[in-house]
Amino acid sequence: MTLMTASADKPTTFVDDYLLYQLASASQVLSDEFHRKVKASGTKIHVWRVLACVVDQPGLMLTSLSKLVLYEQSRLTKIIDQMVDDGLVNKQPVAGDRRKMAIFVTAKGQDLVAPLMVSAKAHESKVLENLTDSEMTMLKRVLNKLCNLQT
Amino acid sequence: MTLMTASADKPTTFVDDYLLYQLASASQVLSDEFHRKVKASGTKIHVWRVLACVVDQPGLMLTSLSKLVLYEQSRLTKIIDQMVDDGLVNKQPVAGDRRKMAIFVTAKGQDLVAPLMVSAKAHESKVLENLTDSEMTMLKRVLNKLCNLQT
DNA sequence: CCTGAAAATATGCGATTTCATATTAGTTTT
DNA sequence: AAAACTAATATGAAATCGCATATTTTCAGG
């Protein structure tokens, strides 16, 4: 039999042994925890997310960035426009294709995101303290594997 | 040194080795995949989510259910009210505390959710085919551990 | 090059979500 | 047993999101 993942004594309910629920739950619980700090610092969650991604991969065009950030394109367009207004990022036309816009972080955006990235890594470390080294390594490896299955 | 999770050759970018991003990404990518099927069947995502949870743990009051479903309370109130109108669940006053409402699935709700749960498990199986048994076991165990850390 | 298809981004609007707070009910303290 | 506190749910207004679609530009075939 294949479905005996959880503790064998109590008959497992649906959601507790359903991978997509477990992923959503772990993601939400842990993210909410950190998001409280982000909000406390006066930054909106989506601004944090976008900045972290733009810093990570500067110069992406909107569509690619929307895949990285995991936000739908039209939503990201609106967020970016707002962030441009706020001086956090800028849109540069791409030479050779006048449709494309490359997104870069500004100095102001850098200043905003830098401490948050430090804080994010600190929070992550705290979370990971609860796992063994091998658990952590395997978790990250498996998560990456899962992400790259997308059909 | 502690932060060497990803392949040691390419200098890892921030998000790719950041647990909260990996969790969010895996969750979104895999959920979106299944959500396409849910939408195709004409059911809203949040209706699917709530039904699966109510079937799983019938009779929870709104607040407890909102924690299980991972939806904010006032949002769940509105969703449940709509679902009551649609005959998918019902709210029963709880004896002994007139504030509380216990949520149960109706026969119509059952009929709607049953095939989706089968489909969900089938989708999960397909996803899990890409992992070894020990990877799967450990993944689910670690995810549960992470969820229960919440401060 | 002209036409039709595809890609990248933008936009309008309806629907959903969130936030703060109201309301009602139970609990505790004195 | 009144006052103050806490808990459970509801509600209204503002913000956000998502869908469908428009617009502009590039690409591919004949």
Side-chain angles (χ1 to χ4, degrees):
Chain A
M1 284 285 111
T2 60
L3 294 178
M4 308 213 92
T5 312
S7 56
D9 29 333
K10 30 182 153 170
T12 305
T13 60
F14 179 76
V15 298
D16 289 332
D17 191 49
Y18 179 50
L19 179 65
L20 266 54
Y21 178 79
Q22 294 176 297
L23 281 170
S25 180
S27 179
Q28 270 245 65
V29 166
L30 298 181
S31 285
D32 279 358
E33 206 168 88
F34 178 61
H35 288 171
R36 277 198 291 277
K37 298 186 192 181
V38 176
K39 286 179 192 166
S41 87
T43 304
K44 303 239 162 124
I45 303 309
H46 59 255
V47 170
W48 148 246
R49 265 232 216 190
V50 170
L51 280 179
C53 288
V54 174
V55 164
D56 220 44
Q57 297 195 38
L60 287 185
M61 59 181 219
L62 218 41
T63 308
S64 317
L65 184 60
S66 85
K67 276 167 199 141
L68 185 65
V69 182
L70 305 168
Y71 287 158
E72 191 254 347
Q73 175 263 316
S74 73
R75 183 182 174 192
L76 183 62
T77 297
K78 288 163 195 167
I79 292 171
I80 291 286
D81 284 351
Q82 181 63 55
M83 290 174 71
V84 169
D85 287 349
D86 295 343
L88 299 173
V89 295
N90 54 51
K91 297 203 281 197
Q92 294 183 18
V94 171
D97 190 335
R98 275 174 298 174
R99 294 171 303 180
K100 296 185 182 176
M101 287 299 199
I103 316 295
F104 295 90
V105 68
T106 63
K108 183 177 175 191
Q110 267 290 358
D111 291 349
L112 180 60
V113 79
L116 290 175
M117 290 176 76
V118 173
S119 174
K121 273 295 178 188
H123 173 258
E124 182 189 37
S125 297
K126 262 202 174 166
V127 168
L128 289 175
E129 273 172 15
N130 300 281
L131 303 186
T132 67
D133 273 10
S134 80
E135 281 176 335
M136 179 194 78
T137 306
M138 121 75 124
L139 175 62
K140 289 195 167 185
R141 185 173 51 74
V142 171
L143 288 177
N144 275 332
K145 202 199 270 192
L146 289 176
C147 289
N148 297 324
L149 296 178
Q150 60 201 295
T151 36
Chain B
M1 282 282 112
T2 60
L3 294 177
M4 303 212 95
T5 311
S7 55
D9 28 332
K10 29 183 150 163
T12 305
T13 60
F14 179 77
V15 297
D16 290 331
D17 191 50
Y18 178 51
L19 179 64
L20 266 55
Y21 177 80
Q22 295 177 296
L23 281 169
S25 179
S27 178
Q28 270 245 64
V29 166
L30 297 181
S31 285
D32 279 359
E33 206 167 89
F34 177 61
H35 288 172
R36 277 197 291 277
K37 299 186 193 180
V38 177
K39 285 180 194 165
S41 86
T43 305
K44 303 240 163 123
I45 301 310
H46 59 256
V47 170
W48 148 246
R49 266 232 216 188
V50 170
L51 280 179
C53 289
V54 174
V55 166
D56 221 43
Q57 298 195 38
L60 287 184
M61 59 181 218
L62 257 169
T63 308
S64 317
L65 185 60
S66 86
K67 275 166 199 142
L68 184 65
V69 182
L70 305 168
Y71 287 159
E72 191 254 347
Q73 174 263 317
S74 73
R75 181 182 174 190
L76 183 62
T77 295
K78 285 163 193 167
I79 292 171
I80 292 286
D81 284 351
Q82 181 62 56
M83 290 174 71
V84 169
D85 288 349
D86 295 343
L88 299 173
V89 296
N90 54 51
K91 296 203 281 195
Q92 294 183 16
V94 171
D97 192 334
R98 275 175 299 174
R99 293 170 304 180
K100 296 185 181 175
M101 287 299 200
I103 316 294
F104 296 90
V105 68
T106 63
K108 183 176 175 192
Q110 267 292 356
D111 291 349
L112 180 60
V113 79
L116 290 176
M117 289 176 76
V118 173
S119 175
K121 272 297 178 187
H123 173 258
E124 182 189 37
S125 298
K126 260 201 177 165
V127 169
L128 289 175
E129 273 173 15
N130 300 281
L131 303 186
T132 67
D133 272 10
S134 79
E135 279 176 335
M136 179 194 77
T137 306
M138 122 76 122
L139 175 62
K140 289 195 168 186
R141 185 174 51 73
V142 171
L143 288 177
N144 275 333
K145 201 198 274 193
L146 289 176
C147 290
N148 297 324
L149 295 177
Q150 60 201 294
T151 35

